[in-house]
């Protein structure tokens, strides 16, 4: 009788830190600098059906038959965009399950991790994604390149977190906003890259979704019951501007086709990237009474100070009492004049009237493109020179017997990580210490340089 083994039990490790903004010396590059925009791009890239979820693996192995030990789901950013997090999903329970004291094999044997990232990744659909996470490698004895990430050992040692409270119609926390966003992007929008959330309303609870395929808007009702998010049927809607002095319009016959502009909003997003789960949620503009303190525009979390407003008024030649709407109108008029001037073959209005900040100069677009191309070629030349210099050092070290040819790749990685330290270490190693390549001895007898044709014994020989 054939015994069929039970299916493996799988586990999930939530909210694992995967990357942190900063400058890091990683294994294959020194001074690597991931930014908050990079991490936001990595999250947004997963909207594309041709970008796969990052896999989880043991070490940086890349054999075609190597198995993954899970995937990374629910990718998001925290700490105002400074940290990238995700859930380890589908990990074998013998590796990830914790005992009664909170201990686990993965936390003890593989407490750290290292990412495999790619800039400007072109997927099979032709989209160029600025930053993508392909895989996370679990590390044991090797130290991670990003040393500030929380180890799995510490993550397992944390006390259990209180359960999230169900959402009410009056209050929505940032966690609940993330919950709804995550459910939408993993549900109705999972198979359609063109859909992204522009606004989230509280009363009524609906999402306003942008469809980039035809530049239309959809209203998607949602509800949250016992941590379960469900969505209703999407209905096309449109934005309508009404004079402030006009009386309130009569409700439309089809209520599904309208959304009150004054409906309370939980969040507003300016782009697909900002609308991803974990990104700081924007808020509606504040009342005019609060405009003197700071202003938030377009769902962005960037605030405009009084000093910045004053600088904008000065740059645009506006009076000191012009509010933000007046500044925006002036910028729009300036942009319109610039477009009109360019269409007539003249000089853009912005170039002729708007003063440039100190330290900023105007550059012809063609010249700028040439400078950028030359700069890219020079950077490529410097990189080639750097690599040739490393190869020359390795060739000399092998020729002198300081290292073996088999260790060439290991030493190349050492040079990539810290070239100066690697060169000093090679110089401290004695020649022939790894492989004897010099002569081992020489004869003590003088060389015989006699020409046999001058020897009397052979002078009378003839052939």
């Amino acid at each position: 009788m054939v015994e069929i083994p039970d299916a493996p039990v799988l586990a999930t490790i939530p909210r694992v830190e995967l990357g942190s903004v900063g400058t890091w010396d990683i294994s294959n590059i020194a001074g690597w600098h991931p930014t908050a925009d990079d991490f936001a791009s990595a999250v947004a890239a997963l909207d594309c059906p041709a970008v796969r979820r990052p896999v989880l693996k043991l070490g940086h192995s890349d054999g075609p038959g190597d198995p993954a030990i899970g995937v990374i789901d629910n990718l998001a950013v925290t700490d105002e965009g400074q940290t990238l997090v995700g859930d380890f999903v589908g990990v074998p329970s013998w590796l990830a399950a914790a005992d009664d004291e909170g201990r686990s094999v993965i936390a003890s044997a593989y407490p750290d991790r290292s990412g495999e990232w790619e800039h400007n990744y072109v997927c099979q659909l032709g989209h160029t994604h600025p930053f993508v996470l392909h895989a996370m490698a679990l590390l044991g004895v090797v130290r991670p390149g990003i040393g500030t990430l929380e180890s799995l050992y510490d993550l397992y040692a944390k006390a259990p977190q209180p359960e999230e409270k169900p959402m009410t119609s009056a209050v929505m926390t940032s966690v609940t906003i993330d919950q709804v966003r995550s459910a939408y992007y993993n549900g109705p929008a999972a198979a359609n890259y063109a859909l992204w959330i522009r606004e989230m309303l509280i009363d009524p609870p609906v999402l306003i979704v942008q469809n980039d395929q035809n530049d239309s808007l959809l209203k998607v009702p949602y509800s949250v019951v016992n941590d379960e998010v469900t969505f209703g049927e999407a209905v096309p809607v449109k934005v309508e501007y009404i004079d402030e002095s006009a009386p309130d319009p009569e409700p439309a016959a089809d209520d599904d086709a309208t959304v009150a502009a004054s409906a309370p909003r939980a969040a507003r997003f300016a782009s697909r990237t900002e609308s991803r789960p974990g990104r700081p949620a924007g808020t509606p503009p504040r009342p005019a009474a609060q405009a003197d303190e700071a202003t938030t525009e377009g769902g962005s979390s960037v605030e405009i100070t009084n000093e910045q407003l004053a600088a904008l008024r000065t740059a645009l030649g506006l009076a000191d009492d012009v509010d933000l709407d007046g500044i925006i109108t002036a910028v729009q008029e300036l942009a319109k004049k610039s477009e009109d001037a360019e269409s007539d073959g003249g000089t853009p209005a912005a170039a002729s009237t708007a003063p440039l900040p100190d330290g900023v100069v105007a550059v012809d677009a063609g010249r700028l493109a040439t400078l950028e191309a030359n700069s890219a070629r020079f950077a490529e030349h410097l990189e080639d020179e750097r690599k040739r210099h490393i190869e020359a050092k390795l060739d000399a070290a092998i020729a002198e017997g300081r290292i073996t040819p088999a260790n060439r790749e290991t030493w190349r990685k050492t040079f990539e990580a810290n070239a100066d330290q690697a060169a000093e270490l090679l110089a401290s190693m004695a020649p022939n210490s790894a492989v004897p390549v010099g002569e081992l001895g020489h004869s003590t007898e003088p060389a015989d340089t006699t020409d046999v044709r001058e020897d009397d014994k052979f002078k009378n020989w003839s052939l």
Side-chain angles (χ1 to χ4, degrees):
M1 179 178 179
V2 178
E3 293 185 2
I4 301 177
D6 294 336
V9 179
L10 304 178
T12 296
I13 307 174
R15 309 297 284 181
V16 180
E17 293 183 356
L18 309 175
S20 181
V21 171
T23 302
W24 315 102
D25 292 335
I26 59 177
S27 60
N28 58 350
I29 186 172
W32 180 58
H33 179 60
T35 65
D37 288 339
D38 288 336
F39 291 153
S41 297
V43 175
L46 294 179
D47 284 344
C48 177
V51 177
R52 305 181 71 83
R53 286 179 294 181
V55 299
L56 190 65
K57 58 185 185 177
L58 299 177
H60 285 292
S61 59
D62 54 3
D66 292 345
I69 58 170
V71 297
I72 300 173
D73 205 354
N74 298 324
L75 210 63
V77 291
T78 61
D79 303 329
E80 298 184 351
Q82 300 299 298
T83 305
L84 181 69
V85 300
D87 298 345
F88 289 176
V89 179
V91 183
S93 61
W94 64 264
L95 185 64
D99 61 14
D100 294 338
E101 298 183 10
R103 298 171 300 189
S104 69
V105 174
I106 193 171
S108 178
Y110 297 99
D112 297 309
R113 54 217 162 275
S114 175
E116 296 181 3
W117 321 83
E118 183 173 353
H119 285 275
N120 298 321
Y121 170 68
V122 180
C123 70
Q124 291 177 319
L125 295 181
H127 304 140
T128 298
H129 303 280
F131 197 67
V132 172
L133 173 61
H134 292 301
M136 288 299 295
L138 296 180
L139 301 179
V141 298
V142 178
R143 293 187 299 274
I146 304 178
T148 59
L149 299 182
E150 182 182 42
S151 74
L152 292 182
Y153 188 90
D154 295 331
L155 182 65
Y156 270 78
K158 281 184 176 180
Q161 299 297 315
E163 294 185 2
E164 178 186 344
K165 296 180 180 180
M167 180 186 66
T168 64
S169 61
V171 178
M172 290 187 67
T173 66
S174 61
V175 175
T176 304
I177 293 174
D178 278 355
Q179 181 184 1
V180 175
R181 284 192 283 180
S182 179
Y184 183 74
Y185 282 114
N186 291 325
N192 193 341
Y193 184 69
L195 301 179
W196 59 276
I197 302 171
R198 282 184 51 169
E199 294 186 75
M200 184 183 301
L201 308 185
I202 302 175
D203 189 14
V206 296
L207 301 179
I208 303 301
V209 175
Q210 172 83 29
N211 187 343
D212 286 342
Q213 285 182 333
N214 52 18
D215 200 27
S216 63
L217 296 178
L218 301 172
K219 182 181 72 171
V220 182
Y222 68 89
S223 61
V224 182
V225 179
N226 296 328
D227 292 337
E228 192 74 25
V229 183
T230 57
F231 298 94
E233 181 180 357
V235 177
V237 293
K238 62 182 179 180
V239 178
E240 183 179 8
Y241 295 95
I242 302 174
D243 291 343
E244 185 176 355
S245 58
D248 292 338
E250 293 294 329
D254 182 4
D255 291 339
D256 288 338
T258 61
V259 175
S262 59
R265 284 164 171 77
R268 175 179 291 164
F269 308 103
S271 66
R272 175 194 309 279
T273 299
E274 185 180 287
S275 72
R276 291 293 306 183
R279 293 288 289 170
T283 58
R286 278 179 280 182
Q290 300 179 15
D292 290 339
E293 299 177 2
T295 305
T296 301
E297 288 295 321
S300 171
S301 60
V302 178
E303 294 185 339
I304 303 177
T305 64
N306 290 332
E307 290 77 12
Q308 291 170 325
L309 288 174
L312 287 172
R313 295 187 188 101
T314 302
L316 295 170
L318 302 176
D320 293 339
D321 59 348
V322 175
D323 60 10
L324 183 59
D325 290 337
I327 293 174
I328 294 174
T329 301
V331 172
Q332 292 172 338
E333 291 175 353
L334 188 62
K336 182 67 169 60
K337 291 179 181 178
S338 177
E339 293 175 359
D340 294 341
E342 288 181 342
S343 63
D344 295 336
T347 302
S352 60
T353 61
L356 295 174
D358 293 339
V360 178
V361 296
V363 179
D364 177 74
R367 178 171 176 78
L368 177 61
T370 301
L371 291 173
E372 291 177 340
N374 290 339
S375 176
R377 285 194 292 269
F378 183 64
E380 184 177 355
H381 169 73
L382 291 179
E383 178 64 12
D384 290 340
E385 285 294 312
R386 185 186 68 83
K387 291 181 178 179
R388 280 195 290 269
H389 180 71
I390 292 176
E391 296 304 319
K393 287 281 189 181
L394 295 177
D395 289 339
I398 293 175
E400 295 170 357
R402 299 177 189 268
I403 63 175
T404 64
N407 287 333
R408 185 186 189 98
E409 185 61 29
T410 300
W411 275 96
R412 182 182 289 112
K413 292 181 179 179
T414 303
F415 269 96
E416 292 286 354
N418 192 323
D420 293 337
Q421 182 178 356
E424 292 177 3
L425 183 58
L426 270 184
S428 67
M429 301 173 66
N432 300 315
S433 58
V435 178
V437 295
E439 63 179 26
L440 299 179
H442 59 273
S443 173
T444 58
E445 298 296 331
D448 185 1
T449 59
T450 304
D451 188 346
V452 297
R453 293 173 297 180
E454 301 299 325
D455 193 319
D456 293 338
K457 293 184 295 183
F458 305 108
K459 282 185 175 181
N460 296 324
W461 283 26
S462 64
L463 301 176

